[in-house]
Amino acid sequence: MKILVIGSGGREHALVWKLAESLQVEKIYATPGNIGISKLATCIVPENNSPVALAELATRLDVDLTVVGPEAPLVAGIVDVFNRRHLPIVGPTRAAAQLEGSKIFAKDFMSRHHLPTAAFTICETPEAAYDIISSKIYGYPVVLKADGLASGKGVVVAQDESQANQAIQEMMVEKKLGESGTRLVIEEYLEGREASLLVFSDGKQVIPMPPAQDYKNIYDGNLGPNTGGMGSFSMPGLLDKNLKERLVKDLAEVTILGMAEEGTPFRGVLFMGLMLTENGTKILEYNVRFGDPETQVILSRLDSDLLDIFLGIANGDLSQVKPSWSDMSTVCVIMAAAGYPGQIEASQIITGLEEAESLENVKVFHASTKLDDSGQVVTAGGRVLGVVARRFSLEAARQQAYKAIEQIDFIGKHYRRDIALLRH
Ligand code: AMP
Ligand code: GLY
């Protein structure tokens, strides 16, 4: 089979790597792909990123299946465009992708289906938002979320009234996030341990993946500003088995059933960001695609064929698919460029990639790299590489990942030292 993967990050490198292992796969294309992906797939930089242009590309390449990595094309309706042309694709329709595309939709949906989430108020105007803040109903910290997609910049945890008012000013009045910040959700701050639970769904049934934990802050000890993710791990028992089964039944299955009942069945990968609080587990957010860098550690534990799962989703029937997961633990440490998550300096030469990958059970996924004029691999963005190790214990996987990292060098490199060590 011929497969097209849409996207360019570490998540997509992991998807391509796993698909390339399938005996059913004869050819992989990626658009736009990246340097790491180009070793396994033919990368095509599209002139035009619109859903229609990508459907035309899939037709021209005569692919049997398209897999979408990032959320933006899903929220823009790529699956609807492919469906109309009878092109098989893995992902939710535009209506179902609203679970991520609109925080207000997601919150209202959770209320309609009695799914546990933080108490919230929807604010349509800045005045309404200022009123909620001055009423202090949620105390401090308080969380403000832009309704629309914001590439990870749409959530502000405000410690006091002035920070909250500043967030309202920036998002709703100055429109720093564009239309995404026109409406806001203001919600109570939840305390607890976070976990990411991802499931595959064909619109009716749910197949859970092993849970993972990611690290969003830039500095050790979960300090400093949020990033796209500085590392992740997955291991057996990350969530207690009974708890996991309950979460799959009470949260994932209720969500999938609810979407089907509302006439917008969800087919694809549903990602639930969870907070395990003293008062039970609550859903912080939905994503409608694989997580980055969760995918790198989750797929590193998949022992069976990823393509079988994707075909089941695209055909709307996962009943015959029984994935098998490894009992090994996996750790991913992200190496970032100087300045990240702020302004970064690109084009630094990267050395030691082969040495790192020659270590046992180590895989280096590219996120933002490119080739310079002399053919050297150089940095090209904030999150540069994701170094993954897989071992029989979490501690051994952690040590192996950091051993691999020591092989890799570029000017300004930085990474967290406490991935898989800090466990809350
Ligand atoms: P989200 O994009 O909704 O996952 O938010 C990004 C991050 O903000 C989450 O992973 C949490 O760390 C934090 N966050 C979001 N909502 C809340 C909340 N209600 N209480 C505490 N932290 C939150
Ligand atoms: N790691 C969080 C995300 O992919 O949204």
Side-chain angles (χ1 to χ4, degrees):
M1 283 197 181
K2 289 189 248 174
I3 315 290
L4 174 63
V5 175
I6 295 174
S8 66
R11 162 182 55 204
E12 288 76 18
H13 189 183
L15 285 165
V16 168
W17 163 72
K18 204 67 208 168
L19 286 168
E21 284 185 353
S22 168
L23 297 177
Q24 305 172 75
V25 171
E26 54 187 271
K27 174 85 192 162
I28 305 177
Y29 297 98
T31 181
N34 68 32
I35 298 298
I37 292 174
S38 69
K39 301 222 166 89
L40 303 162
T42 301
C43 295
I44 299 166
V45 178
E47 279 167 28
N48 177 338
N49 249 333
S50 72
V52 170
L54 291 167
E56 283 166 4
L57 179 66
T59 305
R60 194 164 73 245
L61 298 172
D62 193 26
V63 296
D64 301 289
L65 186 69
T66 299
V67 177
V68 187
E71 61 276 15
L74 296 167
V75 172
I78 189 171
V79 171
D80 308 65
V81 171
F82 274 59
N83 285 348
R84 275 196 291 276
R85 289 165 174 72
H86 305 288
L87 296 167
I89 186 162
V90 181
T93 59
R94 179 188 192 144
Q98 286 187 92
L99 281 179
E100 178 168 2
S102 166
K103 301 248 187 231
I104 294 177
F105 175 88
K107 283 296 212 176
D108 282 339
F109 174 86
M110 288 188 264
S111 297
R112 285 198 292 281
H113 296 277
H114 311 291
L115 286 153
T117 187
F120 68 99
T121 305
I122 292 167
C123 302
E124 309 266 355
T125 62
E127 293 71 31
Y130 289 128
D131 285 347
I132 290 296
I133 293 304
S134 67
S135 77
K136 301 188 171 53
I137 52 170
Y138 299 121
Y140 291 99
V142 65
V143 184
L144 300 97
K145 298 182 170 182
D147 177 47
L149 293 185
S151 314
K153 297 193 178 67
V155 175
V156 174
V157 178
Q159 302 299 332
D160 55 34
E161 188 160 344
S162 88
Q163 283 182 11
N165 287 340
Q166 188 188 338
I168 296 169
Q169 169 76 17
E170 288 179 5
M171 292 201 273
M172 296 186 98
V173 181
E174 294 165 24
K175 298 208 188 303
K176 286 204 170 150
L177 303 172
E179 284 308 300
S180 288
T182 315
R183 300 193 295 163
L184 285 192
V185 173
I186 298 183
E187 67 180 34
E188 81 179 299
Y189 178 82
L190 297 174
E191 255 171 287
R193 181 157 77 94
E194 278 189 58
S196 306
L197 182 59
L198 287 79
V199 301
F200 298 106
S201 181
D202 58 8
K204 306 177 291 285
Q205 9 178 5
V206 160
I207 297 183
M209 305 183 212
Q213 187 180 316
D214 78 338
Y215 294 79
K216 290 209 168 72
N217 303 83
I218 185 79
Y219 300 127
D220 283 14
N222 292 338
L223 299 175
N226 263 0
T227 69
M230 292 301 289
S232 56
F233 72 89
S234 179
M235 66 169 185
L238 172 57
L239 289 181
D240 168 78
K241 189 162 168 283
N242 291 334
L243 174 64
K244 183 183 164 194
E245 274 169 17
R246 224 165 357 103
L247 297 178
V248 169
K249 201 163 160 287
D250 296 348
L251 305 185
E253 288 180 3
V254 171
T255 300
I256 295 299
L257 185 67
M259 291 300 282
E261 276 173 7
E262 296 194 1
T264 51
F266 185 98
R267 282 185 186 180
V269 170
L270 180 70
F271 170 140
M272 295 185 300
L274 304 176
M275 187 72 91
L276 282 60
T277 77
E278 276 179 1
N279 302 319
T281 303
K282 313 238 167 150
I283 304 176
L284 284 182
E285 64 158 346
Y286 291 111
N287 295 316
V288 298
R289 34 90 192 157
F290 278 104
D292 192 341
E294 286 91 340
T295 307
Q296 291 85 320
V297 289
I298 291 173
L299 291 185
S300 294
R301 292 186 58 199
L302 179 63
D303 281 342
S304 54
D305 192 333
L306 179 60
L307 184 65
D308 284 337
I309 306 175
F310 285 164
L311 290 174
I313 295 172
N315 296 332
D317 183 8
L318 278 169
S319 60
Q320 303 308 312
V321 181
K322 305 269 176 293
S324 68
W325 302 98
S326 161
D327 279 341
M328 291 171 94
S329 298
T330 48
V331 173
C332 175
V333 183
I334 299 292
M335 297 185 78
Y340 181 72
Q343 201 62 22
I344 62 120
E345 207 176 303
S347 303
Q348 301 297 339
I349 292 173
I350 304 171
T351 58
L353 289 170
E354 280 175 22
E355 289 80 353
E357 282 212 284
S358 68
L359 294 174
E360 203 184 343
N361 287 316
V362 168
K363 185 79 207 130
V364 179
F365 293 112
H366 290 236
S368 293
T369 58
K370 63 180 182 198
L371 291 180
D372 70 5
D373 293 341
S374 60
Q376 303 232 50
V377 181
V378 298
T379 62
R383 291 193 295 171
V384 178
L385 301 164
V387 178
V388 176
R390 163 173 143 142
R391 294 304 243 182
F392 278 104
S393 73
L394 188 68
E395 179 53 24
R398 190 179 75 78
Q399 287 183 15
Q400 186 77 341
Y402 281 104
K403 196 168 153 195
I405 281 218
E406 280 167 21
Q407 309 295 314
I408 300 174
D409 205 15
F410 56 87
I411 292 173
K413 72 175 174 190
H414 64 108
Y415 52 90
R416 283 184 57 161
R417 323 253 158 181
D418 62 352
I419 304 299
L421 194 58
L422 182 74
R423 299 270 297 283
H424 59 75

